[in-house]
Amino acid sequence: MNVQVVSDKQAGGQAGFKVFEQALAHGAKVLGLATGSTPVTIYEQLVASDLDFSQLTSVNLDEYVGLNADHPQSYHYFMQQHLFNAKPFANSYVPDGTNVDAAAETKRYDAIIKDNPIDLQLLGLGQNGHIGFNEPGTDPKSTTHKVALTDSTIAANARFFDNADEVPRFAYSMGVGSILQAKQILIVAYGEAKAAAVAAMIQGPVTPDVPASYLQTHPNVTVILDEAAASQLD
């Protein structure tokens, strides 16, 4: 793993942008994208740049089950607001949260990934070591699957909805195996709350208890951390 420690999220955004810029310069055609607060500064740098994505394809990690693409809490909407409106791609794929047939949707998305092998996959890191919605215990060979969200995730998301009944209970997510198929991986983490997960990911044993630890088995991983997130590394 190539570990880069930066001063803050803004510096992390600049460092992450360089990884994207270099990947495109080396011919990357398919970008795997993530949502959440962590990648926002990278997307800000991409939007402000002169990089052209109009001939490229994007494939997103995950989406809530039950939310349509226009819902302000959907990941499709997040991507529109933070990247796609300013930097459109030739094709952009996000799991279809409105498809109630999980077997059909996960099969469809696996086919998309197979037809569009990911050159660079962007990831955030959960405090428990999850990547995507792959919680501890996820099979490292897993492909796209329907995930039951944890009680803590549901509770944390409740503030974004008018009432608790609207909070999604499930999500579609690329599996750990899907993620590891990417040619290059960029994972970003900020803050002291992520420090234990960072240490386990980089220096701990490779174990289903820390899904991100499987990144140790990948030949091309860049890790961008602020000093707080790196604070428990030896």
Side-chain angles (χ1 to χ4, degrees):
M1 289 182 174
N2 171 22
V3 179
Q4 302 178 28
V5 180
V6 298
S7 57
D8 55 26
K9 290 182 180 181
Q10 298 306 317
Q14 294 166 4
F17 168 78
K18 290 179 182 178
V19 174
F20 273 81
E21 186 177 41
Q22 290 168 2
L24 267 62
H26 286 89
K29 300 297 183 185
V30 182
L31 304 179
L33 302 178
T35 56
S37 61
T38 300
V40 166
T41 56
I42 294 177
Y43 293 150
E44 289 172 350
Q45 293 288 321
L46 293 175
V47 167
S49 77
D50 59 1
L51 292 181
D52 180 15
F53 299 103
S54 63
Q55 302 301 311
L56 305 185
T57 295
S58 67
V59 183
N60 257 72
L61 270 174
D62 42 28
E63 177 62 284
Y64 290 122
V65 173
L67 300 188
N68 62 45
D70 295 329
H71 193 288
Q73 296 305 325
S74 76
Y75 288 167
H76 189 281
Y77 186 89
F78 176 100
M79 293 306 306
Q80 292 289 348
Q81 296 300 307
H82 289 281
L83 186 61
F84 296 158
N85 287 342
K87 293 286 189 178
F89 285 69
N91 297 286
S92 290
Y93 298 106
V94 182
D96 181 2
T98 65
N99 190 349
V100 296
D101 186 338
E105 180 57 20
T106 54
K107 182 178 180 181
R108 182 189 76 89
Y109 213 66
D110 281 339
I112 287 170
I113 297 168
K114 183 178 180 180
D115 291 343
N116 299 276
I118 295 169
D119 294 303
L120 172 62
Q121 176 66 60
L122 175 62
L123 299 172
L125 176 67
Q127 292 185 31
N128 62 0
H130 75 235
I131 46 178
F133 274 118
N134 296 291
E135 300 291 343
T138 302
D139 185 340
K141 296 181 180 179
S142 59
T143 57
T144 308
H145 56 296
K146 183 179 179 180
V147 181
L149 302 183
T150 63
D151 290 342
S152 60
T153 297
I154 293 168
N157 289 343
R159 68 187 186 277
F160 299 121
F161 294 84
D162 292 335
N163 64 71
D165 293 337
E166 296 180 6
V167 183
R169 266 55 179 177
F170 296 91
Y172 292 128
S173 178
M174 285 189 200
V176 176
S178 310
I179 291 167
L180 292 175
Q181 290 174 15
K183 297 181 181 71
Q184 180 179 4
I185 294 172
L186 168 61
I187 185 164
V188 186
Y190 305 123
E192 188 175 359
K194 301 289 180 73
V198 166
M201 171 180 70
I202 296 173
Q203 297 177 337
V206 176
T207 170
D209 294 337
V210 182
S213 67
Y214 284 97
L215 298 179
Q216 293 179 36
T217 69
H218 192 280
N220 190 356
V221 178
T222 300
V223 185
I224 296 175
L225 311 168
D226 66 1
E227 292 173 359
S231 61
Q232 292 189 29
L233 292 174
D234 294 337

